[in-house]
Amino acid sequence: MVRGKIQMKRIEKATSRQVTFSKRRNGLLKKAYELSILCESEVAVIIFSQKGRIYDFSSSGMEKTIDRYSEHKKEVVANQPETEEHMQDDIANMVKEIEIIEVSQRKLLGEDLGSCSVDELVNIDSQLERSLCNIRARKAELYKERIEQLKAKEKLLLEENERLCLKEHESHKTLLILVSCKSHGRH
């Protein structure tokens, strides 16, 4: 029997809600126990029922696990400013890189060239020449591929035309034979 997917919303009927809570709580605690055994991991689960009852499981003592969790959170919070500072540095570096790329792009488009030295202009000219060579090479490659496709298509069309001409010629011969036979049959 296949169970359907249950919709995640509050169960309205109190008895059904209590039965579901009990079954799922036991399943969750069992999974926590299995995880701690199978993976040698430190697992702790705390569940508060709607009526305020507490259910818990800990593979190595609830207080020890909570203390370990608290220490970990303190370390994460302590390291967070460094992470934020690092992110701020990364953002600043990215903004600078974007500005450099935008300036370079404008120069390649022929804008804002007044501040360029002769060496910069020669460099920009070289970049444009390389880009044009690459563009022309790609364009020639595409033209060559298209020409080969068209030649293959032409060959197929010529073969089809020849086949149709032969078929027409055979039909014409057959027609002449029939006309000839009819005209000889009358005399």
Side-chain angles (χ1 to χ4, degrees):
M1 180 176 158
V2 177
R3 284 188 269 174
K5 189 172 183 178
I6 115 164
Q7 192 176 12
M8 283 296 143
K9 67 176 188 174
R10 182 178 182 271
I11 300 171
E12 295 301 323
K13 194 173 176 185
T15 54
S16 297
R17 189 170 51 247
Q18 182 57 41
V19 168
T20 301
F21 173 79
S22 180
K23 286 181 179 180
R24 290 192 175 229
R25 178 200 65 220
N26 290 338
L28 180 61
L29 294 174
K30 180 180 177 188
K31 290 289 182 188
Y33 170 74
E34 291 170 353
L35 182 64
S36 70
I37 299 295
L38 294 172
C39 302
E40 291 185 4
S41 44
E42 187 173 346
V43 178
V45 178
I46 303 171
I47 304 170
F48 293 95
S49 74
Q50 187 179 14
K51 294 180 181 177
R53 290 193 65 195
I54 188 169
Y55 303 90
D56 64 352
F57 166 79
S58 178
S59 60
S60 57
M62 188 60 73
E63 275 189 48
K64 179 184 171 199
T65 305
I66 290 174
D67 288 343
R68 183 175 175 193
Y69 174 78
S70 297
E71 287 300 316
H72 177 74
K73 286 305 270 182
K74 286 178 189 174
E75 288 174 19
V76 168
V77 170
N79 292 333
Q80 198 168 10
E82 289 177 17
T83 305
E84 287 177 16
E85 283 177 24
H86 183 68
M87 288 175 65
Q88 292 297 332
D89 290 343
D90 285 348
I91 290 170
N93 289 335
M94 284 184 209
V95 167
K96 285 178 188 174
E97 286 181 38
I98 290 170
E99 287 173 1
I100 291 168
I101 291 169
E102 286 174 345
V103 167
S104 176
Q105 182 182 16
R106 281 194 301 273
K107 288 178 180 177
L108 288 171
L109 292 172
E111 302 169 4
D112 299 334
L113 296 176
S115 63
C116 291
S117 67
V118 173
D119 288 341
E120 284 179 299
L121 291 172
V122 168
N123 189 17
I124 291 169
D125 186 51
S126 297
Q127 284 179 315
L128 289 171
E129 285 295 330
R130 282 192 303 274
S131 294
L132 277 173
C133 286
N134 290 337
I135 290 167
R136 289 178 181 140
R138 177 65 180 143
K139 189 170 75 171
E141 184 181 316
L142 291 174
Y143 281 152
K144 183 179 177 185
E145 289 174 6
R146 184 66 178 145
I147 289 169
E148 288 173 3
Q149 291 171 351
L150 291 171
K151 283 182 179 180
K153 188 174 183 179
E154 178 188 31
K155 182 181 176 189
L156 289 173
L157 290 172
L158 288 172
E159 289 171 358
E160 178 69 12
N161 190 34
E162 187 178 329
R163 189 183 63 76
L164 290 172
C165 285
L166 285 174
K167 189 175 180 181
E168 180 187 15
H169 182 71
E170 290 297 320
S171 297
H172 187 66
K173 268 173 93 177
T174 305
L175 185 62
L176 285 176
I177 292 171
L178 287 173
V179 169
S180 174
C181 286
K182 282 186 180 180
S183 62
H184 286 295
R186 288 186 188 168
H187 294 296

